[in-house]
Amino acid sequence: MNAAIALPENERLIRESELEALCAGVEGIDARILAAIIKRTELVRRIAHAERTAGRTTSSYQAELAVVDRFGSLGREGLSLGRLLNRLAKT
């Protein structure tokens, strides 16, 4: 499934104030996404530390595949995003 969003062909011209509001909305979403990624990374690192401390030897490979699969619904770039999230947790 491709998550591309198409604009209507008859989209009217956007006033400068509307454009600024749209840009501000995107910046707000970006800030929330970044905060969520930071929190997610912290949680995954804590999980990995707890598993190591408990002596678990199970691989996180299946969990990493599940992450990639979840973001795969966004298409090829979503797969890349899932892989990137996995890498962020390991750095």
Side-chain angles (χ1 to χ4, degrees):
M1 177 177 117
N2 191 341
I5 300 173
L7 293 175
E9 288 184 30
N10 62 350
E11 183 75 21
R12 66 178 176 79
L13 294 177
I14 297 175
R15 292 188 311 245
E16 189 66 27
S17 61
E18 290 175 300
L19 181 59
E20 288 174 8
L22 292 171
C23 289
V26 169
E27 289 173 10
I29 291 169
D30 287 349
R32 290 192 301 276
I33 291 170
L34 181 58
I37 290 171
I38 290 168
K39 181 65 177 176
R40 181 193 186 283
T41 300
E42 291 171 357
L43 291 172
V44 172
R45 288 177 180 169
R46 288 179 64 193
I47 291 167
H49 176 74
E51 288 177 339
R52 281 192 308 274
T53 302
R56 284 194 178 172
T57 58
T58 58
S59 170
S60 62
Y61 182 71
Q62 292 299 326
E64 290 177 11
L65 283 179
V67 170
V68 173
D69 188 53
R70 276 194 298 274
F71 287 91
S73 65
L74 296 173
R76 186 177 359 176
E77 297 303 326
L79 295 172
S80 296
L81 176 58
R83 288 187 210 96
L84 177 61
L85 289 171
N86 285 331
R87 284 195 307 273
L88 279 171
K90 293 180 181 182
T91 59

